[in-house]
Amino acid sequence: MANERILIVEDDSQIAEVLAAYLQRDGYLTSICRDGGEAMQMFRQWQPDLVLLDYMLPQVSGNEILAAIRRAGDVPVIMGRPSMEKWRSWVRFATVRTTMS
């Protein structure tokens, strides 16, 4: 697990920072992108082991990013849903992940 890279693609700063904090606490390297254009550039440069991807983003949609990632290879992607449920699903993921370790 040490040094595994997780790319967080989320335009809501609070959600992104909470996710990054939980993951960093468990030893993961994280990078946060706030929009689709930045995410695609970082994905190509950083080559993450996992992508946490928001569905609704400025510039490039989550679906477009997912399609580009799939064309580039088989990196696992977890997509979040829009709305307040998005927050709950991200926090639930982070909480489950940290309690399973």
Coordinates of all heavy atoms in Angstrom, one line a residue:
M1 N 0.8 -1.2 0.0 CA 0.0 0.0 0.0 C 0.9 1.3 0.0 O 0.5 2.3 -0.5 CB -0.9 0.0 1.2 CG -1.6 1.3 1.4 SD -2.9 1.4 2.7 CE -2.1 0.8 4.1
A2 N 2.0 1.2 0.6 CA 2.8 2.4 0.7 C 3.1 3.0 -0.7 O 3.4 2.3 -1.6 CB 4.2 2.1 1.4
N3 N 3.0 4.3 -0.8 CA 3.3 5.1 -2.0 C 2.3 4.9 -3.2 O 2.6 5.2 -4.3 CB 4.7 4.8 -2.5 CG 5.7 5.3 -1.5 OD1 5.5 6.3 -0.8 ND2 6.8 4.6 -1.3
E4 N 1.2 4.2 -2.9 CA 0.2 4.1 -4.0 C -0.5 5.5 -4.1 O -0.7 6.2 -3.2 CB -0.9 3.1 -3.6 CG -0.4 1.7 -3.7 CD -1.4 0.6 -3.4 OE1 -2.4 0.9 -2.7 OE2 -1.2 -0.5 -3.8
R5 N -0.7 5.9 -5.4 CA -1.1 7.2 -5.8 C -2.6 7.2 -6.0 O -3.1 6.4 -6.9 CB -0.4 7.7 -7.0 CG 1.1 7.9 -6.7 CD 1.8 8.3 -8.0 NE 1.5 7.3 -9.0 CZ 2.3 6.3 -9.4 NH1 3.5 6.2 -8.9 NH2 2.0 5.5 -10.4
I6 N -3.4 8.1 -5.4 CA -4.8 8.3 -5.6 C -5.1 9.7 -6.1 O -4.8 10.6 -5.4 CB -5.6 7.9 -4.4 CG1 -5.3 6.5 -3.9 CG2 -7.1 8.2 -4.6 CD1 -6.0 6.1 -2.7
L7 N -5.7 9.8 -7.3 CA -6.0 11.1 -7.9 C -7.5 11.3 -7.5 O -8.4 10.6 -7.7 CB -5.9 11.0 -9.4 CG -6.3 12.3 -10.1 CD1 -5.4 13.5 -9.7 CD2 -6.2 12.1 -11.6
I8 N -7.7 12.5 -6.8 CA -9.0 12.9 -6.3 C -9.5 14.0 -7.3 O -8.8 15.0 -7.4 CB -9.0 13.4 -4.9 CG1 -8.5 12.3 -3.9 CG2 -10.4 13.9 -4.5 CD1 -8.1 12.8 -2.6
V9 N -10.5 13.7 -8.0 CA -11.1 14.7 -9.0 C -12.4 15.2 -8.4 O -13.4 14.5 -8.5 CB -11.2 14.1 -10.4 CG1 -11.7 15.2 -11.4 CG2 -9.9 13.4 -10.8
E10 N -12.4 16.4 -7.8 CA -13.5 16.9 -7.1 C -13.5 18.4 -7.0 O -12.5 19.0 -6.6 CB -13.5 16.3 -5.6 CG -14.6 16.9 -4.7 CD -16.0 16.7 -5.2 OE1 -16.4 15.5 -5.3 OE2 -16.6 17.7 -5.5
D11 N -14.6 19.0 -7.5 CA -14.6 20.5 -7.5 C -15.0 21.1 -6.2 O -14.8 22.3 -5.9 CB -15.4 21.0 -8.6 CG -16.9 20.6 -8.5 OD1 -17.1 19.5 -8.1 OD2 -17.8 21.4 -8.9
D12 N -15.5 20.3 -5.2 CA -15.9 20.8 -3.9 C -14.6 20.7 -3.0 O -14.2 19.6 -2.7 CB -17.0 20.0 -3.4 CG -17.5 20.5 -2.0 OD1 -16.7 20.8 -1.1 OD2 -18.8 20.7 -1.9
S13 N -14.1 21.8 -2.6 CA -12.8 21.8 -1.8 C -12.9 21.0 -0.5 O -12.0 20.3 -0.2 CB -12.4 23.2 -1.5 OG -12.1 23.9 -2.7
Q14 N -14.0 21.1 0.2 CA -14.2 20.5 1.5 C -14.2 18.9 1.3 O -13.5 18.2 2.0 CB -15.5 20.9 2.1 CG -15.4 22.3 2.7 CD -16.7 22.7 3.4 OE1 -17.8 22.4 2.9 NE2 -16.5 23.3 4.6
I15 N -14.9 18.5 0.3 CA -14.9 17.0 0.1 C -13.6 16.5 -0.3 O -13.1 15.5 0.2 CB -16.0 16.7 -1.0 CG1 -17.4 17.0 -0.6 CG2 -15.8 15.2 -1.5 CD1 -18.4 16.9 -1.6
A16 N -12.9 17.2 -1.2 CA -11.6 16.8 -1.7 C -10.6 16.8 -0.5 O -9.8 15.8 -0.4 CB -11.1 17.7 -2.8
E17 N -10.6 17.8 0.3 CA -9.7 17.8 1.5 C -9.9 16.7 2.5 O -9.0 16.1 3.0 CB -9.7 19.2 2.1 CG -9.2 20.3 1.2 CD -7.8 20.2 0.8 OE1 -7.0 19.6 1.5 OE2 -7.5 20.6 -0.4
V18 N -11.2 16.4 2.7 CA -11.5 15.3 3.7 C -11.0 14.0 3.1 O -10.4 13.2 3.9 CB -13.0 15.3 4.0 CG1 -13.4 14.0 4.7 CG2 -13.5 16.5 4.8
L19 N -11.3 13.7 1.9 CA -10.8 12.5 1.3 C -9.3 12.4 1.3 O -8.8 11.4 1.7 CB -11.3 12.4 -0.2 CG -12.7 12.1 -0.4 CD1 -13.1 12.3 -1.9 CD2 -13.0 10.7 0.0
A20 N -8.6 13.5 1.0 CA -7.2 13.5 1.0 C -6.6 13.2 2.4 O -5.7 12.4 2.5 CB -6.6 14.8 0.4
A21 N -7.2 13.8 3.4 CA -6.8 13.6 4.7 C -6.9 12.2 5.2 O -5.9 11.6 5.8 CB -7.5 14.6 5.7
Y22 N -8.0 11.6 4.9 CA -8.2 10.2 5.3 C -7.2 9.3 4.6 O -6.6 8.4 5.2 CB -9.6 9.7 5.0 CG -10.7 10.0 6.0 CD1 -11.7 10.9 5.8 CD2 -10.7 9.3 7.2 CE1 -12.6 11.2 6.8 CE2 -11.6 9.5 8.2 CZ -12.6 10.4 7.9 OH -13.6 10.7 8.9
L23 N -7.0 9.5 3.3 CA -6.2 8.6 2.5 C -4.7 8.8 2.9 O -3.9 7.9 3.0 CB -6.4 8.9 1.0 CG -7.8 8.5 0.5 CD1 -8.1 9.1 -0.8 CD2 -7.9 7.0 0.5
Q24 N -4.3 10.1 3.1 CA -2.9 10.4 3.5 C -2.6 9.7 4.9 O -1.5 9.2 5.1 CB -2.7 11.9 3.5 CG -2.6 12.4 2.1 CD -2.7 13.9 2.1 OE1 -2.6 14.6 3.1 NE2 -2.7 14.5 0.9
R25 N -3.6 9.8 5.8 CA -3.4 9.2 7.1 C -3.1 7.7 7.0 O -2.4 7.1 7.8 CB -4.7 9.4 7.9 CG -4.5 8.9 9.4 CD -5.8 9.0 10.1 NE -6.7 8.0 9.7 CZ -7.9 7.8 10.1 NH1 -8.5 8.7 10.9 NH2 -8.7 6.8 9.6
D26 N -3.7 7.1 6.0 CA -3.4 5.6 5.7 C -2.2 5.4 4.9 O -2.0 4.2 4.5 CB -4.7 5.0 5.1 CG -5.8 4.8 6.1 OD1 -5.5 4.9 7.3 OD2 -6.9 4.4 5.7
G27 N -1.4 6.4 4.5 CA -0.2 6.2 3.8 C -0.3 6.4 2.3 O 0.7 6.1 1.6
Y28 N -1.4 6.8 1.8 CA -1.5 7.0 0.3 C -1.0 8.3 -0.1 O -1.1 9.3 0.7 CB -3.0 6.8 -0.1 CG -3.5 5.4 0.1 CD1 -4.3 5.1 1.2 CD2 -3.3 4.5 -0.9 CE1 -4.8 3.9 1.3 CE2 -3.8 3.2 -0.7 CZ -4.6 2.9 0.4 OH -5.1 1.6 0.5
L29 N -0.5 8.4 -1.3 CA -0.1 9.7 -1.9 C -1.4 10.2 -2.6 O -2.0 9.4 -3.3 CB 1.0 9.6 -2.8 CG 2.3 9.0 -2.3 CD1 3.4 8.8 -3.4 CD2 2.9 9.9 -1.2
T30 N -1.7 11.5 -2.4 CA -2.9 12.0 -3.1 C -2.6 13.3 -3.9 O -1.6 14.0 -3.5 CB -4.0 12.3 -2.1 OG1 -3.6 13.4 -1.2 CG2 -4.4 11.1 -1.3
S31 N -3.4 13.5 -4.9 CA -3.3 14.7 -5.6 C -4.8 15.1 -5.9 O -5.6 14.2 -6.2 CB -2.6 14.5 -6.9 OG -2.5 15.7 -7.7
I32 N -5.1 16.4 -5.8 CA -6.5 16.9 -5.9 C -6.5 17.7 -7.2 O -5.7 18.6 -7.4 CB -6.9 17.7 -4.7 CG1 -6.9 16.9 -3.5 CG2 -8.3 18.3 -5.0 CD1 -7.2 17.6 -2.2
C33 N -7.5 17.4 -8.0 CA -7.8 18.3 -9.2 C -9.2 18.8 -9.1 O -10.1 18.0 -8.7 CB -7.7 17.4 -10.5 SG -6.0 16.8 -10.8
R34 N -9.4 20.0 -9.4 CA -10.7 20.7 -9.2 C -11.6 20.7 -10.5 O -12.8 21.1 -10.4 CB -10.5 22.1 -8.7 CG -9.6 22.2 -7.5 CD -10.3 22.3 -6.3 NE -9.4 22.6 -5.2 CZ -9.3 21.8 -4.1 NH1 -10.0 20.7 -4.0 NH2 -8.4 22.0 -3.2
D35 N -11.0 20.4 -11.6 CA -11.9 20.4 -12.8 C -11.3 19.3 -13.8 O -10.3 18.7 -13.6 CB -11.9 21.7 -13.5 CG -10.5 22.2 -14.0 OD1 -9.9 21.5 -14.8 OD2 -10.1 23.3 -13.6
G36 N -12.2 19.0 -14.8 CA -11.8 17.9 -15.7 C -10.6 18.1 -16.5 O -9.8 17.2 -16.8
G37 N -10.3 19.4 -17.0 CA -9.1 19.6 -17.8 C -7.9 19.4 -17.0 O -6.9 18.7 -17.4
E38 N -7.9 19.9 -15.7 CA -6.7 19.6 -14.9 C -6.6 18.2 -14.6 O -5.4 17.6 -14.5 CB -6.9 20.4 -13.6 CG -5.8 20.3 -12.5 CD -6.2 21.0 -11.2 OE1 -7.3 21.6 -11.1 OE2 -5.3 20.9 -10.3
A39 N -7.7 17.5 -14.4 CA -7.6 16.0 -14.1 C -7.0 15.2 -15.2 O -6.2 14.3 -14.9 CB -9.0 15.5 -13.8
M40 N -7.3 15.5 -16.4 CA -6.8 14.8 -17.5 C -5.3 15.0 -17.6 O -4.5 14.0 -17.9 CB -7.4 15.1 -18.8 CG -8.9 14.6 -18.9 SD -9.0 12.9 -18.5 CE -7.9 12.1 -19.6
Q41 N -4.8 16.2 -17.4 CA -3.4 16.5 -17.5 C -2.7 15.8 -16.3 O -1.6 15.1 -16.6 CB -3.2 18.0 -17.4 CG -1.7 18.4 -17.4 CD -1.5 19.9 -17.4 OE1 -2.4 20.6 -17.0 NE2 -0.4 20.4 -17.8
M42 N -3.2 15.8 -15.1 CA -2.6 15.2 -14.0 C -2.6 13.7 -14.2 O -1.6 13.0 -13.8 CB -3.3 15.6 -12.7 CG -2.7 14.9 -11.5 SD -0.9 15.3 -11.2 CE -1.1 16.9 -10.5
F43 N -3.7 13.1 -14.7 CA -3.7 11.7 -14.9 C -2.6 11.2 -15.8 O -1.9 10.2 -15.5 CB -5.1 11.3 -15.5 CG -5.2 9.8 -15.8 CD1 -5.5 8.9 -14.8 CD2 -5.0 9.3 -17.1 CE1 -5.6 7.6 -15.0 CE2 -5.1 8.0 -17.3 CZ -5.4 7.1 -16.3
R44 N -2.4 11.9 -16.9 CA -1.3 11.5 -17.8 C 0.1 11.7 -17.2 O 1.0 10.8 -17.4 CB -1.4 12.3 -19.1 CG -2.5 11.9 -20.0 CD -2.5 12.6 -21.3 NE -2.8 14.0 -21.3 CZ -4.0 14.5 -21.4 NH1 -5.0 13.7 -21.6 NH2 -4.2 15.8 -21.3
Q45 N 0.3 12.7 -16.4 CA 1.6 13.0 -15.8 C 1.9 12.1 -14.6 O 3.0 11.6 -14.5 CB 1.7 14.5 -15.4 CG 1.7 15.4 -16.5 CD 1.7 16.9 -16.0 OE1 1.5 17.2 -14.8 NE2 1.9 17.8 -16.9
W46 N 0.9 12.0 -13.8 CA 1.1 11.3 -12.5 C 0.9 9.8 -12.5 O 1.4 9.1 -11.6 CB 0.2 12.0 -11.4 CG 0.7 11.9 -10.0 CD1 1.9 12.1 -9.5 CD2 -0.2 11.6 -8.9 NE1 1.9 11.9 -8.2 CE2 0.6 11.6 -7.8 CE3 -1.5 11.3 -8.8 CZ2 0.1 11.3 -6.5 CZ3 -2.0 11.0 -7.5 CH2 -1.2 11.1 -6.4
Q47 N 0.1 9.3 -13.4 CA -0.2 7.9 -13.5 C -0.6 7.3 -12.2 O 0.0 6.4 -11.6 CB 1.0 7.1 -14.1 CG 1.4 7.6 -15.5 CD 2.6 6.9 -16.0 OE1 3.3 6.2 -15.4 NE2 2.8 7.1 -17.3
P48 N -1.8 7.7 -11.7 CA -2.3 7.2 -10.4 C -2.7 5.7 -10.4 O -2.9 5.1 -11.5 CB -3.5 8.0 -10.2 CG -4.0 8.4 -11.5 CD -2.8 8.5 -12.4
D49 N -2.7 5.1 -9.2 CA -3.1 3.7 -9.1 C -4.7 3.6 -9.0 O -5.2 2.5 -9.2 CB -2.5 3.1 -7.8 CG -1.0 3.2 -8.0 OD1 -0.4 2.5 -8.9 OD2 -0.3 3.9 -7.2
L50 N -5.3 4.7 -8.6 CA -6.8 4.8 -8.4 C -7.2 6.2 -8.6 O -6.5 7.1 -8.3 CB -7.2 4.3 -7.0 CG -8.6 4.5 -6.6 CD1 -9.5 3.5 -7.3 CD2 -8.8 4.3 -5.1
V51 N -8.4 6.4 -9.2 CA -9.0 7.7 -9.4 C -10.3 7.7 -8.7 O -11.2 6.9 -8.9 CB -9.2 8.0 -10.9 CG1 -9.9 9.4 -11.0 CG2 -7.9 8.0 -11.6
L52 N -10.5 8.7 -7.8 CA -11.8 9.0 -7.2 C -12.4 10.2 -8.0 O -11.8 11.3 -8.0 CB -11.7 9.4 -5.7 CG -11.1 8.3 -4.8 CD1 -11.0 8.9 -3.4 CD2 -11.9 7.1 -4.9
L53 N -13.5 10.0 -8.7 CA -13.9 10.9 -9.7 C -15.3 11.4 -9.5 O -16.3 10.6 -9.3 CB -13.9 10.2 -11.1 CG -14.4 10.9 -12.3 CD1 -13.5 12.2 -12.6 CD2 -14.3 10.0 -13.5
D54 N -15.5 12.7 -9.4 CA -16.8 13.3 -9.3 C -17.5 13.2 -10.6 O -16.8 13.3 -11.7 CB -16.6 14.8 -8.9 CG -17.9 15.5 -8.6 OD1 -19.0 14.9 -8.6 OD2 -17.9 16.7 -8.4
Y55 N -18.8 13.0 -10.6 CA -19.6 12.9 -11.8 C -19.7 14.3 -12.5 O -19.6 14.4 -13.8 CB -20.9 12.3 -11.5 CG -21.8 12.1 -12.7 CD1 -21.6 11.0 -13.6 CD2 -22.8 13.0 -13.0 CE1 -22.4 10.9 -14.7 CE2 -23.7 12.8 -14.1 CZ -23.4 11.8 -14.9 OH -24.2 11.6 -16.0
M56 N -20.0 15.3 -11.8 CA -20.3 16.6 -12.3 C -19.1 17.6 -12.0 O -18.9 17.9 -10.9 CB -21.6 17.2 -11.8 CG -22.8 16.4 -12.2 SD -24.3 17.1 -11.5 CE -24.4 18.6 -12.4
L57 N -18.4 18.0 -13.1 CA -17.2 18.8 -13.0 C -17.3 20.0 -14.0 O -17.9 19.9 -15.0 CB -16.0 18.0 -13.3 CG -15.6 16.9 -12.3 CD1 -14.6 16.0 -12.9 CD2 -15.1 17.5 -11.0
P58 N -16.6 21.1 -13.7 CA -16.5 22.1 -14.7 C -15.5 21.7 -15.8 O -14.7 20.8 -15.6 CB -15.8 23.3 -13.9 CG -15.6 22.8 -12.5 CD -16.0 21.4 -12.4
Q59 N -15.7 22.2 -17.0 CA -14.9 22.0 -18.2 C -15.2 20.7 -18.9 O -15.6 20.6 -20.0 CB -13.4 22.2 -17.9 CG -13.0 23.6 -17.6 CD -11.5 23.8 -17.5 OE1 -10.8 22.9 -17.9 NE2 -11.1 24.9 -16.9
V60 N -14.8 19.6 -18.2 CA -14.9 18.3 -18.8 C -15.7 17.4 -17.8 O -15.4 17.4 -16.6 CB -13.5 17.6 -19.1 CG1 -13.7 16.3 -19.7 CG2 -12.7 18.5 -19.9
S61 N -16.7 16.7 -18.3 CA -17.6 15.9 -17.4 C -16.9 14.7 -16.9 O -15.9 14.2 -17.5 CB -18.9 15.5 -18.1 OG -18.6 14.4 -19.0
G62 N -17.4 14.2 -15.8 CA -16.8 12.9 -15.2 C -16.9 11.8 -16.2 O -16.0 10.9 -16.3
N63 N -18.0 11.7 -17.0 CA -18.1 10.6 -18.0 C -17.0 10.7 -19.1 O -16.5 9.7 -19.5 CB -19.5 10.7 -18.7 CG -20.5 10.1 -17.8 OD1 -20.3 9.3 -16.9 ND2 -21.8 10.5 -18.0
E64 N -16.7 12.0 -19.5 CA -15.7 12.2 -20.5 C -14.3 11.8 -19.9 O -13.5 11.1 -20.6 CB -15.6 13.6 -21.0 CG -16.8 14.0 -21.8 CD -16.8 15.5 -22.1 OE1 -16.1 15.8 -23.1 OE2 -17.5 16.3 -21.4
I65 N -14.0 12.1 -18.7 CA -12.8 11.7 -18.0 C -12.7 10.2 -17.9 O -11.7 9.6 -18.2 CB -12.6 12.4 -16.7 CG1 -12.6 13.9 -16.8 CG2 -11.4 11.9 -15.9 CD1 -12.7 14.7 -15.5
L66 N -13.8 9.6 -17.5 CA -13.8 8.1 -17.4 C -13.5 7.5 -18.7 O -12.7 6.5 -18.8 CB -15.2 7.7 -16.8 CG -15.3 6.2 -16.7 CD1 -14.3 5.6 -15.7 CD2 -16.7 5.8 -16.3
A67 N -14.1 8.0 -19.8 CA -13.8 7.4 -21.1 C -12.4 7.5 -21.5 O -11.8 6.6 -22.0 CB -14.7 8.1 -22.2
A68 N -11.8 8.7 -21.2 CA -10.4 8.9 -21.5 C -9.5 8.0 -20.7 O -8.5 7.4 -21.2 CB -10.0 10.4 -21.3
I69 N -9.8 7.8 -19.4 CA -9.0 6.9 -18.6 C -9.1 5.5 -19.1 O -8.1 4.7 -19.2 CB -9.5 7.0 -17.1 CG1 -9.1 8.3 -16.5 CG2 -9.0 5.8 -16.3 CD1 -9.7 8.6 -15.2
R70 N -10.3 5.0 -19.5 CA -10.5 3.7 -20.0 C -9.7 3.5 -21.3 O -9.2 2.4 -21.6 CB -12.0 3.4 -20.3 CG -12.8 3.2 -19.0 CD -12.3 2.0 -18.3 NE -12.8 2.0 -17.0 CZ -12.0 2.1 -15.9 NH1 -10.7 2.2 -16.1 NH2 -12.5 2.1 -14.7
R71 N -9.6 4.5 -22.2 CA -8.8 4.4 -23.4 C -7.3 4.3 -23.0 O -6.5 3.7 -23.8 CB -9.0 5.6 -24.3 CG -10.3 5.6 -25.0 CD -10.4 6.7 -26.1 NE -10.3 8.1 -25.5 CZ -11.3 8.8 -25.1 NH1 -12.6 8.3 -25.2 NH2 -11.1 10.0 -24.6
A72 N -6.9 4.9 -21.9 CA -5.5 4.9 -21.5 C -5.1 3.6 -20.8 O -3.9 3.3 -20.8 CB -5.2 6.1 -20.6
G73 N -6.0 2.8 -20.3 CA -5.6 1.6 -19.6 C -6.7 1.1 -18.7 O -7.9 1.4 -18.8
D74 N -6.3 0.4 -17.6 CA -7.3 -0.2 -16.7 C -7.2 0.3 -15.3 O -7.4 -0.5 -14.3 CB -7.2 -1.7 -16.8 CG -5.8 -2.2 -16.3 OD1 -4.9 -1.4 -16.1 OD2 -5.6 -3.4 -16.2
V75 N -6.9 1.6 -15.1 CA -6.8 2.1 -13.8 C -8.2 2.1 -13.1 O -9.1 2.5 -13.7 CB -6.3 3.6 -13.8 CG1 -6.3 4.2 -12.5 CG2 -4.8 3.6 -14.4
P76 N -8.3 1.6 -11.9 CA -9.6 1.6 -11.2 C -10.1 3.0 -11.0 O -9.3 3.9 -10.7 CB -9.3 0.9 -9.9 CG -8.0 0.2 -10.0 CD -7.3 1.0 -11.1
V77 N -11.4 3.2 -11.2 CA -12.1 4.5 -11.0 C -13.3 4.3 -10.1 O -14.1 3.3 -10.3 CB -12.5 5.1 -12.3 CG1 -13.3 6.4 -12.1 CG2 -11.3 5.3 -13.2
I78 N -13.4 5.1 -9.1 CA -14.7 5.1 -8.3 C -15.3 6.5 -8.5 O -14.7 7.5 -8.3 CB -14.4 5.0 -6.8 CG1 -13.7 3.7 -6.5 CG2 -15.6 5.2 -5.9 CD1 -13.2 3.5 -5.1
M79 N -16.5 6.5 -9.1 CA -17.2 7.7 -9.4 C -18.3 8.0 -8.3 O -19.0 7.1 -7.9 CB -18.0 7.6 -10.7 CG -17.1 7.8 -11.9 SD -18.0 7.8 -13.5 CE -18.3 9.6 -13.6
G80 N -18.3 9.3 -7.9 CA -19.3 9.8 -7.0 C -20.5 10.4 -7.7 O -20.4 10.8 -8.8
R81 N -21.6 10.4 -7.0 CA -22.8 10.9 -7.6 C -22.9 12.4 -7.2 O -22.4 12.8 -6.2 CB -24.0 10.2 -7.0 CG -24.1 8.7 -7.4 CD -25.2 8.1 -6.7 NE -25.0 8.1 -5.3 CZ -25.6 7.2 -4.5 NH1 -26.4 6.3 -5.0 NH2 -25.3 7.2 -3.2
P82 N -23.7 13.2 -8.0 CA -23.9 14.6 -7.7 C -24.9 14.7 -6.5 O -25.5 13.8 -6.1 CB -24.5 15.1 -9.0 CG -25.0 14.0 -9.7 CD -24.2 12.8 -9.3
S83 N -25.0 15.9 -5.9 CA -25.9 16.3 -4.8 C -25.3 16.0 -3.5 O -24.2 15.5 -3.3 CB -27.3 15.6 -5.0 OG -27.2 14.2 -4.6
M84 N -26.1 16.2 -2.5 CA -25.7 15.9 -1.1 C -25.3 14.5 -0.9 O -24.5 14.1 0.0 CB -26.7 16.4 -0.1 CG -26.7 17.8 0.3 SD -25.0 18.4 0.8 CE -24.9 17.5 2.4
E85 N -26.0 13.6 -1.6 CA -25.6 12.2 -1.5 C -24.2 11.9 -1.9 O -23.5 11.0 -1.4 CB -26.6 11.3 -2.4 CG -26.4 9.9 -2.2 CD -26.7 9.4 -0.7 OE1 -27.5 10.0 -0.1 OE2 -26.1 8.4 -0.3
K86 N -23.6 12.8 -2.7 CA -22.2 12.7 -3.1 C -21.4 12.8 -1.9 O -20.5 11.9 -1.6 CB -21.8 13.8 -4.1 CG -20.4 13.8 -4.4 CD -20.0 14.8 -5.5 CE -20.2 16.2 -4.9 NZ -19.7 17.2 -5.8
W87 N -21.6 13.7 -1.0 CA -20.8 13.9 0.2 C -20.9 12.7 1.1 O -19.9 12.2 1.5 CB -21.3 15.2 0.9 CG -20.8 15.3 2.3 CD1 -21.5 15.1 3.4 CD2 -19.5 15.6 2.7 NE1 -20.7 15.3 4.5 CE2 -19.5 15.6 4.1 CE3 -18.3 15.9 2.1 CZ2 -18.4 15.9 4.9 CZ3 -17.2 16.2 2.8 CH2 -17.2 16.2 4.2
R88 N -22.1 12.2 1.2 CA -22.3 11.0 2.1 C -21.6 9.8 1.6 O -20.9 9.0 2.3 CB -23.8 10.7 2.3 CG -24.5 11.8 3.1 CD -25.9 11.3 3.3 NE -26.7 12.5 3.8 CZ -27.5 13.2 3.1 NH1 -27.7 12.9 1.8 NH2 -28.1 14.2 3.6
S89 N -21.6 9.6 0.2 CA -21.0 8.4 -0.3 C -19.5 8.5 -0.2 O -18.8 7.5 0.1 CB -21.4 8.2 -1.8 OG -20.9 9.2 -2.6
W90 N -18.9 9.7 -0.4 CA -17.4 9.9 -0.3 C -17.0 9.6 1.1 O -16.0 8.9 1.4 CB -17.0 11.3 -0.7 CG -17.0 11.5 -2.2 CD1 -17.6 12.5 -2.8 CD2 -16.2 10.9 -3.2 NE1 -17.3 12.5 -4.2 CE2 -16.5 11.5 -4.4 CE3 -15.4 9.7 -3.2 CZ2 -15.9 11.1 -5.6 CZ3 -14.8 9.3 -4.4 CH2 -15.1 10.0 -5.6
V91 N -17.7 10.2 2.1 CA -17.3 10.1 3.5 C -17.5 8.6 3.9 O -16.6 8.1 4.6 CB -18.1 11.0 4.4 CG1 -17.9 10.7 5.8 CG2 -17.8 12.5 4.1
R92 N -18.6 8.0 3.4 CA -18.8 6.6 3.8 C -17.6 5.7 3.2 O -17.1 4.9 3.9 CB -20.1 6.1 3.1 CG -20.7 4.9 3.8 CD -22.1 4.6 3.3 NE -23.0 5.7 3.4 CZ -23.7 6.2 2.4 NH1 -23.6 5.7 1.2 NH2 -24.5 7.3 2.5
F93 N -17.2 6.0 2.0 CA -16.0 5.3 1.4 C -14.8 5.5 2.3 O -14.1 4.5 2.6 CB -15.8 5.7 0.0 CG -14.4 5.3 -0.5 CD1 -14.2 4.0 -0.9 CD2 -13.4 6.2 -0.5 CE1 -13.0 3.6 -1.3 CE2 -12.1 5.8 -1.0 CZ -11.9 4.5 -1.4
A94 N -14.5 6.7 2.6 CA -13.3 7.0 3.4 C -13.4 6.4 4.8 O -12.4 5.8 5.2 CB -13.1 8.5 3.5
T95 N -14.5 6.4 5.4 CA -14.7 5.8 6.7 C -14.5 4.3 6.7 O -13.8 3.7 7.5 CB -16.0 6.2 7.3 OG1 -16.1 7.6 7.3 CG2 -16.2 5.7 8.7
V96 N -15.2 3.7 5.7 CA -15.0 2.2 5.6 C -13.6 1.8 5.3 O -13.1 0.9 5.9 CB -16.0 1.7 4.4 CG1 -15.7 0.3 4.1 CG2 -17.4 1.8 4.9
R97 N -13.0 2.6 4.4 CA -11.6 2.3 4.1 C -10.7 2.3 5.3 O -9.8 1.5 5.5 CB -11.1 3.2 3.0 CG -9.7 3.2 2.6 CD -9.3 1.8 2.0 NE -7.9 1.7 2.0 CZ -7.1 1.1 2.9 NH1 -7.7 0.5 3.9 NH2 -5.8 1.0 2.8
T98 N -10.8 3.4 6.1 CA -9.9 3.5 7.2 C -10.2 2.5 8.4 O -9.3 2.1 9.1 CB -10.0 4.9 7.8 OG1 -11.3 5.3 8.2 CG2 -9.5 5.9 6.8
T99 N -11.5 2.1 8.5 CA -11.8 1.1 9.5 C -11.4 -0.3 9.1 O -11.2 -1.2 10.0 CB -13.3 1.2 9.9 OG1 -14.1 0.9 8.8 CG2 -13.6 2.5 10.5
M100 N -11.3 -0.6 7.9 CA -10.9 -1.9 7.4 C -9.4 -2.1 7.5 O -8.9 -3.3 7.5 CB -11.3 -2.1 5.9 CG -12.8 -2.1 5.8 SD -13.3 -2.3 4.0 CE -12.6 -3.9 3.6
S101 N -8.6 -1.1 7.7 CA -7.1 -1.3 7.8 C -6.7 -1.8 9.1 O -7.3 -1.6 10.1 CB -6.5 0.1 7.5 OG -6.8 0.5 6.2

